[in-house]
Amino acid sequence: MSSSTRKYKDSVFVDLFSEDEKAKENFLSLYNALHGTNLQLSCPVENIRLDNVMYMNIINDVSCLVDGKIIILAEHQSTINENMPLRFLQYIARLYEKLQAPTDRYLRKLSKIPTPEFYVFYNGKEDYPETAVLKLSDAFITKSEQMPLELTVQVLNINTDKANKVLTACKPLEEYSLFVDEVRKQTQLDPEKGFTNAVKICIEKGILKEYLTRKSREVINMLVAEYDYDTDIAVQRQESLMIGIQQGISQGISQGIEQGSYQKAIETAKMMKLKNFDIVVIKEISGLSELEIQNL
C-alpha cells in the first residue's frame, strides 16, 4: 500500500499524553514537570491538536490549551530535525486560525491569544545534549540585531542515560522512556516478536504496567504503524534522491549530484540501521556497500 493512502493511528507517545483515558493526568504531570507547577486534575485541559500536520500521515504531536498557554509537544526517535521551528510556526498559525473567531483579527481592541510553547522530546540512539534550543532565526538568510520574527523550540533528551531532570519529575515520561529502551532492545533480539516481548517484559517490570495491561494489543499496533512509517520515509528519501539525480544529470551538474546523493544515501542508511532493518534491505534502498553500511 502506498504511503499516500495508508492511514496511521496515534503513536504511543501521543496516546499516553493526549488520547488515553488517563492522558489528562499524564499531560498535567508533564506540564507540572516542565513548569515547576502543581496543577491539579480539576484544571481544564483542551486537546486542540491538528491531525496529519506535523508528520504527513502519522499523528505524532500533542497540542493542548491549558493555563492560558498552548503547549505543543513532539517526539523524535530518530535524528533531530533542525527545521522544527519552521514546522511549529506553520502549525501554530493554523491553531490560532482554529481558536480565533474570523472577525477577531479585525477588531480595533487588542485580541488576546494563548502563549505558545514548543517542546521536542528526543529519545533516539545518536548522542545528543541533555537540552538544546532550536531557533527559527537560525534559518534566516540575512540577520539583524533585532529579529522581526522568532520562535524557539526546547529540545529535551529523555534517554534514561542522560538523567534529564524532567524524567524524575514526571513518572509517565520516565516510564515511557524506559519502555522505548525495552522496545529497542527486544526488536534487536527478535525483529518478529520484539514488540510483543517488550510489552510483556515492561508489564512484568512494572513499566507503564496499568496502561500496557489495558491496551497491549493497541500499543503493539501503534508500534507497528510507527515502524512502517519510518520505512515509508526511508523509501521516500530514496525516491527523492533518484529524482534529484535525474534532474541533476539533465542540468549538467553531475559532480554536485554525486556528492549530494552519496550524503543522502548515508543518511538514509543510518536511519534504517537505527531501526534495525536487514542489511540486505539497506543495501537495496541506499545503494551503499555492505562495508560502508557496517562502518556507519
Side-chain angles (χ1 to χ4, degrees):
M1 185 182 297
S2 69
S3 60
S4 61
T5 57
R6 181 182 294 156
K7 300 297 182 183
Y8 291 109
K9 57 175 64 180
D10 295 327
S11 67
V12 177
F13 176 83
V14 170
D15 192 52
L16 270 173
F17 294 99
S18 182
E19 297 298 325
D20 184 62
E21 63 185 49
K22 293 193 175 181
K24 181 180 179 181
E25 181 179 346
N26 294 336
F27 176 83
L28 285 173
S29 173
L30 180 52
Y31 179 91
N32 288 331
L34 292 170
H35 294 84
T37 53
N38 189 31
L39 298 185
Q40 301 299 306
L41 198 56
S42 57
C43 176
V45 175
E46 182 182 353
N47 188 337
I48 54 173
R49 185 178 63 181
L50 299 173
D51 288 347
N52 298 332
V53 175
M54 295 300 286
Y55 291 95
M56 294 183 294
N57 290 331
I58 193 168
I59 302 170
N60 202 24
D61 68 281
V62 175
S63 304
C64 290
L65 182 60
V66 56
D67 198 28
K69 303 182 184 73
I70 295 176
I71 306 298
I72 305 179
L73 317 173
E75 178 206 22
H76 280 199
Q77 289 190 23
S78 55
T79 304
I80 290 294
N81 187 326
E82 294 187 359
N83 293 307
M84 287 306 293
L86 178 59
R87 291 165 69 174
F88 275 128
L89 176 65
Q90 296 166 335
Y91 192 92
I92 193 65
R94 290 184 59 178
L95 274 180
Y96 281 138
E97 288 181 354
K98 178 181 177 180
L99 292 173
Q100 267 197 325
T103 56
D104 284 356
R105 71 196 71 174
Y106 302 109
L107 298 175
R108 295 183 64 181
K109 183 179 179 181
L110 181 65
S111 178
K112 298 286 188 177
I113 56 177
T115 304
E117 294 183 7
F118 309 97
Y119 299 91
V120 169
F121 297 98
Y122 174 71
N123 55 6
K125 295 173 66 176
E126 294 183 9
D127 189 38
Y128 197 82
E130 180 182 338
T131 61
V133 176
L134 303 179
K135 294 183 178 182
L136 180 65
S137 60
D138 290 339
F140 293 167
I141 295 174
T142 60
K143 300 182 180 182
S144 57
E145 291 185 6
Q146 292 186 340
M147 294 298 174
L149 178 66
E150 185 62 284
L151 185 150
T152 60
V153 178
Q154 300 292 325
V155 183
L156 303 177
N157 190 332
I158 59 170
N159 282 294
T160 52
D161 62 341
K162 291 295 181 179
N164 196 306
K165 61 182 180 181
V166 72
L167 294 179
T168 58
C170 178
K171 185 176 180 181
L173 187 64
E174 180 183 31
E175 292 192 8
Y176 173 72
S177 182
L178 292 169
F179 169 71
V180 171
D181 283 345
E182 195 63 51
V183 169
R184 215 173 263 144
K185 183 189 305 179
Q186 295 305 318
T187 51
Q188 288 178 343
L189 294 173
D190 187 344
E192 183 177 347
K193 298 180 180 178
F195 295 144
T196 302
N197 293 341
V199 169
K200 180 179 178 181
I201 290 171
C202 283
I203 291 174
E204 292 173 351
K205 291 181 176 181
I207 299 170
L208 296 178
K209 182 176 182 179
E210 188 276 336
Y211 172 75
L212 294 176
T213 301
R214 178 164 46 84
K215 303 181 74 169
S216 59
R217 177 48 54 189
E218 293 176 64
V219 168
I220 291 170
N221 288 340
M222 285 185 274
L223 291 171
V224 170
E226 290 182 78
Y227 183 85
D228 285 347
Y229 167 75
D230 286 327
T231 304
D232 279 347
I233 290 298
V235 172
Q236 289 169 20
R237 285 181 175 174
Q238 180 64 15
E239 289 175 349
S240 297
L241 167 65
M242 297 308 296
I243 292 172
I245 292 174
Q246 292 170 0
Q247 291 175 341
I249 291 175
S250 65
Q251 295 170 5
I253 52 172
S254 58
Q255 182 179 359
I257 289 172
E258 289 176 3
Q259 295 174 346
S261 62
Y262 183 68
Q263 185 58 40
K264 290 192 179 214
I266 289 176
E267 292 175 2
T268 298
K270 278 185 177 180
M271 190 276 291
M272 295 182 72
K273 192 174 180 182
L274 287 173
K275 294 298 180 180
N276 304 313
F277 280 81
D278 187 274
I279 194 166
V280 175
V281 177
I282 300 177
K283 285 173 61 179
E284 182 178 346
I285 294 292
S286 68
L288 298 179
S289 68
E290 184 172 338
L291 180 60
E292 287 175 312
I293 295 169
Q294 290 174 345
N295 289 334
L296 291 178

